[in-house]
Amino acid sequence: MNKYLVIGNPIAHSLSPLLHNYWFKKYRFLDSIYEKKKVEKKDLKKIVERIKNDEVKGVNVTVPFKREIFNFIDTAPYEVQFTKSVNTLVKENDKVVGYNTDQQGFEISLEENDWDCKDKKILIIGAGGVTPSILSTFIKVDGAEKIYLSNRTRSKAEELKKLWDKALGIYQMKKDTIEVIDWEKKSELCDLIINTTSVGLTKDEKLNFDFSDYNNKKDVLFYDLIYNPKETNFLKDARIRGNRTMNGKMMFLWQAHLAFKMWTGVSPTIDEEVIKLLD
Ligand code: ATR
């Protein structure tokens, strides 16, 4: 049996097993199984060892271990060494490699909606393990005009800014493109507001930003990376205000698509059936 895992804490919300097991069945990998596993920080080393010993074939990593797991892998591509954010583990040439498929997954999800960051102002809420993947999407030639970062623990947002400030020159972006603002403080009006925190994973959780300036702003997109629940309070409030909304479902599907391809060599189709599967 080829065993695959998604590890995190909490993990109950994860739809990765449903999705990957559906693809295993569809593409006739009948000796493969994908499970979710709630783990603690102390278990991460063991998980990597299990991949090395071929007890586990592949692992997805989610909240809150995307950064922590970097300390236990053998190697990673350049961009992952820069961001230290890992969501997919696989054994290659006897080494456990840490990849990140979130960044591409996120980028594809925006492209599918014809959303281009050129000259746009963006507010990123959160500075956890997934945030580097989001941030790097907007730092490129013809990238964003302005990126505001707000995190409960301000120092983590400052660290991200420090890291990415070094890259701005490479892409001919202005030195002050990235600005850290206090937690839940107002920034100037933005075109895209993204929740990258885990606030909203449970139904009654809520961010306390004052978004009243966005009333009836139909072109502003509120994007929550959370896909389960489908509509967090962040998105519900945005819908009521008249903003565009998007949850993390398509990003989730694309990051899973890329991981599945890495593990099996098969590029699974993303069609209406698989989109419905997650509803
Ligand atoms: P992961 O690495 O998998 O993204 P994480 O590093 O724990 O998980 O990141 C979770 C994000 O959600 C962080 O931005 C975290 O803010 P802190 O850096 O201040 O911890 C944010 N977060 C989690 N719970 C929160 C809460 N109750 N209020 C505000 N932010 C919260």
Side-chain angles (χ1 to χ4, degrees):
M1 212 52 170
N2 292 324
K3 192 167 173 168
Y4 296 83
L5 291 174
V6 56
I7 57 166
N9 194 347
I11 199 62
H13 67 280
S14 176
L15 297 181
S16 291
L18 178 71
L19 178 59
H20 285 281
N21 286 325
Y22 167 85
W23 280 334
F24 283 143
K25 201 167 163 207
K26 179 171 177 179
Y27 296 103
R28 314 295 290 167
F29 291 98
L30 299 179
D31 59 347
S32 296
I33 184 154
Y34 189 113
E35 291 168 354
K36 56 179 124 180
K37 193 172 169 60
K38 186 172 163 185
V39 299
E40 308 292 335
K41 202 168 153 176
K42 63 171 174 45
D43 304 321
L44 298 180
K45 192 168 180 239
K46 185 90 204 298
I47 296 281
V48 173
E49 275 165 16
R50 289 181 72 190
I51 301 175
K52 241 185 189 157
N53 301 337
D54 299 314
E55 288 167 53
V56 173
K57 190 118 192 268
V59 171
N60 280 138
V61 184
T62 188
V63 181
F65 301 122
K66 286 183 178 178
R67 182 173 278 256
E68 191 64 30
I69 197 79
F70 181 83
N71 300 323
F72 301 101
I73 56 172
D74 296 321
T75 182
Y78 169 75
E79 65 278 10
V80 171
Q81 290 182 31
F82 183 74
T83 60
K84 298 187 172 52
S85 176
V86 171
N87 80 328
T88 304
L89 304 177
V90 62
K91 187 169 140 180
E92 288 172 0
N93 304 322
D94 281 328
K95 288 196 158 51
V96 177
V97 191
Y99 286 100
N100 186 305
T101 64
D102 284 333
Q103 193 277 328
Q104 229 186 313
F106 179 67
E107 198 162 333
I108 297 171
S109 75
L110 285 178
E111 280 166 13
E112 282 181 327
N113 279 272
D114 293 325
W115 202 93
D116 182 3
C117 68
K118 187 172 185 302
D119 299 331
K120 298 279 191 353
K121 292 175 181 153
I122 297 159
L123 168 61
I124 300 177
I125 301 169
V130 74
T131 315
S133 306
I134 306 308
L135 188 53
S136 61
T137 303
F138 304 121
I139 296 175
K140 56 183 186 185
V141 175
D142 291 334
E145 162 81 19
K146 186 85 192 177
I147 303 167
Y148 293 99
L149 280 179
S150 180
N151 192 49
R152 178 180 61 177
T153 312
R154 189 183 161 112
S155 58
K156 281 164 76 178
E158 301 276 8
E159 270 173 47
L160 282 186
K161 172 180 160 56
K162 211 164 125 190
L163 189 63
W164 260 268
D165 273 353
K166 291 183 206 153
L168 293 174
I170 303 169
Y171 302 108
Q172 290 106 47
M173 295 178 78
K174 285 184 292 183
K175 264 197 260 171
D176 62 349
T177 300
I178 305 169
E179 184 175 331
V180 175
I181 57 170
D182 282 344
W183 180 239
E184 292 173 340
K185 284 278 150 54
K186 270 192 190 180
S187 69
E188 67 173 320
L189 275 189
C190 287
D191 304 285
L192 172 64
I193 293 93
I194 310 165
N195 175 34
T196 75
T197 75
S198 46
V199 179
L201 275 179
T202 46
K203 270 266 177 209
D204 47 350
E205 278 180 325
K206 204 172 165 35
L207 293 164
N208 288 312
F209 282 75
D210 175 6
F211 289 127
S212 53
D213 293 349
Y214 290 91
N215 284 344
N216 299 315
K217 296 263 183 278
K218 293 185 185 60
D219 294 331
V220 177
L221 175 60
F222 280 71
Y223 191 143
D224 200 323
L225 300 192
I226 294 171
Y227 60 88
N228 187 15
K230 270 187 274 186
E231 190 180 60
T232 55
N233 287 317
F234 174 76
L235 292 188
K236 185 177 165 204
D237 293 348
R239 175 172 55 79
I240 292 167
R241 275 193 307 271
N243 310 130
R244 283 176 67 193
T245 60
M246 195 164 150
N247 70 15
K249 183 161 139 179
M250 292 316 293
M251 172 183 172
F252 169 70
L253 271 166
W254 281 110
Q255 65 72 31
H257 166 102
L258 296 162
F260 191 89
K261 191 176 169 196
M262 231 174 251
W263 291 328
T264 65
V266 169
S267 208
T269 317
I270 293 189
D271 53 14
E272 281 307 314
E273 193 176 322
V274 77
I275 292 171
K276 263 206 211 116
L277 178 77
L278 302 184
D279 278 343

